[in-house]
Amino acid sequence: MFDAIVVGARCAGAPTAMLLARAGYRVLLLDKAPSGTDTLSTHLIHQPGVAALARWGLLEQVRATGCPPLDRTRYELADVRLEGCARGVAGQRAGLAPRRHVLDAILAGAAVAAGVELRDRCQVTGLLRDDAGRVTGVEGRWQGGSFTEQARLVIGADGMRSTVARLAEAPYTVADDRLTCAYYTYWQDVPADLELYEAPGSWTAAVPTNDGLTLVLAYFPQARFEEVRTDARRAYLEQVRTAAPSLYERLADKEPAERLRGTGDQQNYFRQATGPGWVLVGDAGHHKDSITARGISDAFGQVEALVARLTGRLDGDPAQLDTALKEFATERDSALGPGYESTLAVAHLAPHEQRLSLLRAVQTDPELTSIYFDMVAGIATAGALYTPKLLALL
């Protein structure tokens, strides 16, 4: 019997398993995909996530892959031009954007090194329950056969289309309409900072990643998805050309290094985080539009919050475990609620004049610019920006 079975071995599941194993628990980690595969992602790890990697002893390993530090951000909207760097958190001022097959392999490897049993290419098909309805394990398919495994806790870290959430019948507690669709690809030898270009009806970004590649993303209103997908390459290049002409010039006479990827399924929700014998972490429990690229950093924060609640209570009385899980659920919703609302505001792709007036004031002062980039990274809330200096400029 395991203390915990974690379903999903990417940026929520692997570190959850790793930290639980480091705390002395016996953990089974399952993933339906082969290890080392890629997945749709903005790649960006904001400074809070980088600080988590440092706490886990994995930051230097990520840096050693050649992933460049993102220590300068450029943001443009109408006549606003912000350039600078966030103040950061825990000594980390630079973000990172590793390829997901790089990051996820490092996280899974660290889990295995901590003593986790990892099974990839493993499909969970059901949850085991006792007579009282409490989840006590999983059943599934692996290596051509079926299996069952028991555990004190089943942790769903299997993404937006979570099997664990479906099998546990976890209801949505918050759900909002899809707001954007997004397409991206990689370009070789395109010099870039972390660059963000906002305009009515569009959002474009450039993000340097591994192997000398720059990820260039284009966001469109969800209402345009059917139109855009009919000729996604044309729509993608046209948006970069019109919304980010200086970036488009750097793409001239180049071809993408990989195929264009995209999605029109950017869901916005909170699911019930926990029930008897189960809990959701990462995108399984909460997902929002990727336009603010908060997914990885928010997942790392949830992981640390969950493991902190479980430590010392996972192998004890089930009632104590249930209390710990409810505490995590409350903490999750409180921590992620403001970022959810601010992300949806950006994802409407309709910047208003009041925000423009604010940003015009911010761009006049390097300190205010750094605070603003703290907000972008999820380090600070909007209230932190309203310093006496800003109020004097408005």
Side-chain angles (χ1 to χ4, degrees):
M1 180 173 178
F2 292 91
D3 293 305
I5 296 173
V6 183
V7 182
R10 293 192 182 273
C11 63
T16 299
M18 175 193 72
L19 293 178
L20 287 173
R22 288 180 180 179
Y25 294 110
R26 185 168 181 244
V27 183
L28 175 62
L29 179 61
L30 309 175
D31 199 281
K32 64 183 179 182
S35 293
T37 54
D38 225 334
T39 188
L40 283 173
S41 178
T42 62
H43 304 2
L44 185 57
I45 308 175
H46 290 294
Q47 291 85 341
V50 175
L53 289 172
R55 286 191 293 272
W56 302 341
L58 300 178
L59 179 55
E60 292 310 314
Q61 191 175 347
V62 175
R63 286 174 172 165
T65 67
C67 183
L70 305 177
D71 52 10
R72 184 173 180 81
T73 303
R74 294 171 55 189
Y75 169 83
E76 297 186 9
L77 169 60
D79 59 340
V80 172
R81 303 289 185 275
L82 300 180
E83 296 189 21
C85 179
R87 296 175 301 177
V89 62
Q92 305 297 332
R93 298 195 68 189
L96 290 169
R99 292 290 298 262
R100 288 298 300 275
H101 66 265
V102 173
L103 174 67
D104 294 351
I106 289 172
L107 294 172
V112 171
V116 171
E117 180 180 337
L118 171 62
R119 301 178 191 172
D120 66 355
R121 301 179 176 87
C122 180
Q123 182 69 47
V124 171
T125 58
L127 298 177
L128 307 179
R129 299 177 187 269
D130 63 16
D131 292 342
R134 186 179 190 86
V135 171
T136 59
V138 302
E139 59 186 5
R141 296 187 297 272
W142 183 54
Q143 294 185 340
S146 61
F147 74 94
T148 61
E149 294 288 359
Q150 301 277 340
R152 292 183 174 87
L153 179 65
V154 173
I155 301 172
D158 48 342
M160 187 173 69
R161 301 172 186 86
S162 170
T163 296
V164 174
R166 174 176 58 81
L167 294 172
E169 299 181 343
Y172 293 101
T173 57
V174 175
D176 287 280
D177 292 339
R178 295 166 179 81
L179 295 173
T180 76
C181 57
Y183 284 85
Y184 70 82
T185 188
Y186 305 87
W187 300 80
Q188 188 76 50
D189 300 323
V190 173
D193 298 312
L194 173 58
E195 300 177 18
L196 310 171
Y197 302 88
E198 184 177 5
S202 75
W203 180 280
T204 308
V207 188
T209 184
N210 294 93
D211 303 319
L213 296 172
T214 295
L215 175 67
V216 177
L217 308 99
Y219 287 78
F220 307 84
Q222 179 68 22
R224 290 190 59 197
F225 179 53
E226 293 302 325
E227 167 211 340
V228 168
R229 71 188 303 194
T230 60
D231 191 348
R233 178 184 170 90
R234 182 202 62 78
Y236 168 85
L237 290 173
E238 178 62 15
Q239 176 155 306
V240 178
R241 185 186 71 81
T242 56
S246 64
L247 174 59
Y248 185 79
E249 290 175 3
R250 284 169 271 164
L251 308 184
D253 303 320
K254 296 181 183 292
E255 287 294 320
E258 297 184 16
R259 68 179 178 86
L260 191 67
R261 296 172 171 87
T263 180
D265 190 23
Q266 300 224 79
Q267 298 177 34
N268 300 297
Y269 62 78
F270 285 82
R271 287 188 176 113
Q272 180 178 311
T274 185
W278 61 269
V279 66
L280 304 176
V281 68
D283 287 352
H286 162 66
H287 188 274
K288 54 187 171 290
D289 197 292
S290 67
I291 197 165
T292 52
R294 296 279 186 85
I296 299 175
S297 299
D298 283 355
F300 287 178
Q302 289 180 62
V303 166
E304 291 191 321
L306 176 61
V307 173
R309 297 293 184 180
L310 292 177
T311 300
R313 293 193 276 185
L314 178 54
D315 52 359
D317 179 68
Q320 289 186 338
L321 173 58
D322 291 346
T323 297
L325 295 175
K326 290 175 182 177
E327 291 170 354
F328 162 73
T330 299
E331 182 177 354
R332 182 202 71 171
D333 292 353
S334 176
L336 298 180
Y340 180 78
E341 295 299 330
S342 62
T343 293
L344 266 56
V346 173
H348 276 97
L349 300 177
H352 50 76
E353 186 58 37
Q354 182 181 2
R355 183 154 162 260
L356 274 170
S357 297
L358 174 71
L359 290 170
R360 289 180 183 119
V362 168
Q363 74 177 341
T364 66
D365 184 83
E367 180 183 2
L368 293 174
T369 297
S370 289
I371 296 173
Y372 183 77
F373 287 141
D374 274 352
M375 292 170 51
V376 170
I379 299 166
T381 63
L385 192 60
Y386 285 86
T387 64
K389 183 182 292 186
L390 177 65
L391 295 173
L393 292 170
L394 293 177

